[in-house]
Amino acid sequence: MAKQPEHTFTDAAHLGSPGAEPWTMVNHPVYRGSTVLFPNLESFYRAYGQRYEENEYIYGRLGTPASRALQDAFCAMENGRGSVLTSCGLGAITTALAAFVESGRHILVSDAVYGPLRTFCDEELARLGVATTYYDPCIGGRIEDLLRPETKIIYLESPGSLTLEVQDIPAITKVARRRGVLTMADNTWATPVFFKPLNHGVDISIQAATKYIVGHSDSMLGIITANERCHAAIRRTAVNLGQYAAPDDVYLALRGLRTLPLRLARHQHNGLRLAEWLAARPEVRRVIHPGTARHPGHAIWKRDFSGASGLFSIIIEPCTAQALAAMIDGLRYFGLGASWGGYESLIMPVNPRTTRTAAEWREEGQLLRLHAGLENVDDLIGDLEAGFARLAQARR
Ligand SMILES: *Cc1c(COP(=O)(O)O)cnc(C)c1O
């Protein structure tokens, strides 16, 4: 875990800051607005004469200096050609896919992908004549066997949602490049602080900024960063679909970015401490955390990532619904709810059995997804310890 890029903290603190002429506040203001006014016809014609790729300051929907700053910061951190903002993370995924598929095409999607994306593929893309094949997230270079002449995109998410399989991204992008297929990766878990997909051959990187970038569970935002080959098409489709990021959310993402590496270091620390403690508990069958040596994807994670965020899962011994409720309902610091990446700890029962189609989930026992927040880790351990005591009590 020694590969922390040298300038990460400096980049997060300074990228996308307002310029300094003739004076400036440290932060961009919240730019609210629809209409952009021009001082005269000459500047009006000049602005409208450009394509929207070149000039977003002609209408509120197309961008503001603050949204541009956030895009530029992400583009620099991810080594992209450009970034595009969307209303939420799911909007980033669907917009990026929509930019490249047409009727008759085929896409490959990891079986451990974020659930609502499966619904999009099965209900919307299928309706538009785009076929989806779900593949085993651990397939690596053997993905070549699943390629068809009409395959357009390989979609990756590493580690996978709920079950945290680490994908061999370089092996997959190597095949994709050779066969002329695009690759798209959901990088929400790692953020560009711990992994930069474009540096590993991925064409398009997706960030649900709702999670760690905003970091305080108070807004929704998506970011798509792409290389030279893909950026212009994504910007075009995002504009045509009416994708838009609200001014408050852009402001909150820029603000979150400043402390992102610092928060992630703490999420990582707390997550690893919890994982270690949980692994020694008799109630726990298995801890699923890529940063622990026993995780099957640990070696790949260590090779490609420079850190682990605070999201991981555990499998506890099978128990009744009442016993699980006794444990979870009484927790003091762990909130019960979806989403993650904020400052607070979360826990949630999940069931991959109902969604997986390529790689069957055979584990017995209850899968729980945890998010390690920024609290004192000993308080979190104490909270879980009391929860396990209630679980044991309810079992009797
Ligand atoms: C939450 C999440 C998304 C979707 O982001 P929203 O902003 O909630 O739409 C996409 N991918 C992953 C991995 C997520 O966890």
Side-chain angles (χ1 to χ4, degrees):
M1 252 191 312
K3 284 169 291 162
Q4 184 74 13
E6 239 169 83
H7 306 294
T8 303
F9 283 88
T10 310
D11 284 351
H14 292 283
L15 287 173
S17 293
E21 39 168 317
W23 57 268
T24 183
M25 296 303 223
V26 171
N27 294 295
H28 285 278
V30 177
Y31 285 90
R32 298 185 198 287
S34 52
T35 299
V36 176
L37 293 176
F38 296 88
N40 52 45
L41 262 182
E42 190 199 339
S43 58
F44 174 87
Y45 284 137
R46 199 184 322 123
Y48 277 81
Q50 289 179 312
R51 289 189 51 75
Y52 47 67
E53 284 96 328
E54 284 114 46
N55 187 1
E56 59 260 77
Y57 308 145
I58 56 177
Y59 187 45
R61 193 174 64 224
L62 300 179
T64 67
S67 63
R68 163 47 72 99
L70 180 58
Q71 286 161 201
D72 288 351
F74 253 80
C75 187
M77 279 191 300
E78 299 229 33
N79 291 324
R81 160 65 180 78
S83 296
V84 167
L85 306 184
T86 58
S87 61
C88 63
L90 182 59
I93 299 170
T94 59
T95 299
L97 285 172
F100 298 102
V101 291
E102 60 264 327
S103 176
R105 286 293 191 172
H106 170 243
I107 63 171
L108 286 165
V109 174
S110 166
D111 209 26
V113 86
Y114 177 68
L117 169 57
R118 278 186 100 98
T119 312
F120 175 76
C121 294
D122 298 345
E123 295 186 355
E124 305 303 328
L125 289 186
R127 191 170 53 80
L128 298 171
V130 178
T132 303
T133 300
Y134 297 98
Y135 65 88
D136 180 343
C138 301
I139 198 167
R142 284 181 293 115
I143 197 148
E144 186 147 23
D145 301 340
L146 299 180
L147 293 177
R148 303 179 192 167
E150 67 272 23
T151 306
K152 185 73 190 248
I153 293 165
I154 300 173
Y155 191 94
L156 308 119
E157 183 185 330
S158 182
S161 274
L162 313 183
T163 45
L164 296 118
E165 293 88 347
V166 181
Q167 298 199 257
D168 192 342
I169 292 184
I172 293 175
T173 57
K174 198 171 150 213
V175 169
R177 296 243 150 174
R178 181 155 37 79
R179 300 285 299 267
V181 175
L182 296 177
T183 49
M184 208 178 279
D186 187 326
N187 194 38
T188 302
W189 182 88
T191 84
V193 172
F194 287 150
F195 185 68
K196 297 179 193 295
L198 272 59
N199 290 1
H200 297 261
V202 172
D203 295 298
I204 301 156
S205 170
I206 305 281
Q207 188 66 216
T210 304
K211 310 285 168 57
Y212 283 122
I213 311 307
V214 164
H216 294 70
S217 306
D218 53 3
S219 92
M220 312 278 304
L221 190 74
I223 306 175
I224 311 165
T225 304
N227 58 17
E228 182 72 44
R229 185 178 176 200
C230 297
H231 172 66
I234 293 169
R235 169 75 179 162
R236 183 201 68 224
T237 300
V239 168
N240 290 341
L241 288 174
Q243 275 292 2
Y244 165 72
D248 292 271
D249 300 334
V250 169
Y251 179 88
L252 291 170
L254 274 169
R255 181 150 104 167
L257 175 61
R258 306 307 175 207
T259 55
L260 177 66
L262 198 60
R263 287 184 285 110
L264 280 172
R266 173 97 182 165
H267 286 296
Q268 165 164 256
H269 172 264
N270 283 0
L272 285 169
R273 275 285 310 279
L274 282 178
E276 188 188 320
W277 180 81
L278 286 160
R281 292 292 306 193
E283 300 86 351
V284 178
R285 286 194 158 201
R286 194 151 79 85
V287 171
I288 310 176
H289 188 310
T292 59
R294 253 169 301 168
H295 189 281
H298 182 67
I300 295 178
W301 171 80
K302 210 165 166 181
R303 182 192 69 192
D304 296 347
F305 290 67
S306 61
S309 62
L311 192 78
F312 65 101
S313 292
I314 59 172
I315 302 168
I316 59 169
E317 295 293 340
C319 66
T320 63
Q322 288 92 324
L324 188 63
M327 178 196 169
I328 288 181
D329 292 355
L331 290 171
R332 184 167 170 200
Y333 300 118
F334 284 86
L336 172 61
S339 203
W340 44 275
Y343 50 86
E344 79 289 8
S345 289
L346 297 167
I347 193 165
M348 188 171 77
V350 289
N351 180 14
R353 211 165 276 117
T354 52
T355 48
R356 301 296 158 92
T357 50
E360 199 188 338
W361 181 254
R362 287 207 193 87
E363 302 269 359
E364 279 178 40
Q366 174 67 52
L367 187 64
L368 296 175
R369 189 183 73 179
L370 281 82
H371 180 246
L374 304 179
E375 299 93 337
N376 286 98
V377 72
D378 289 334
D379 291 330
L380 298 177
I381 288 173
D383 203 18
L384 291 175
E385 194 163 29
F388 283 139
R390 285 190 302 275
L391 183 97
Q393 186 77 30
R395 242 188 206 147
R396 258 183 239 129

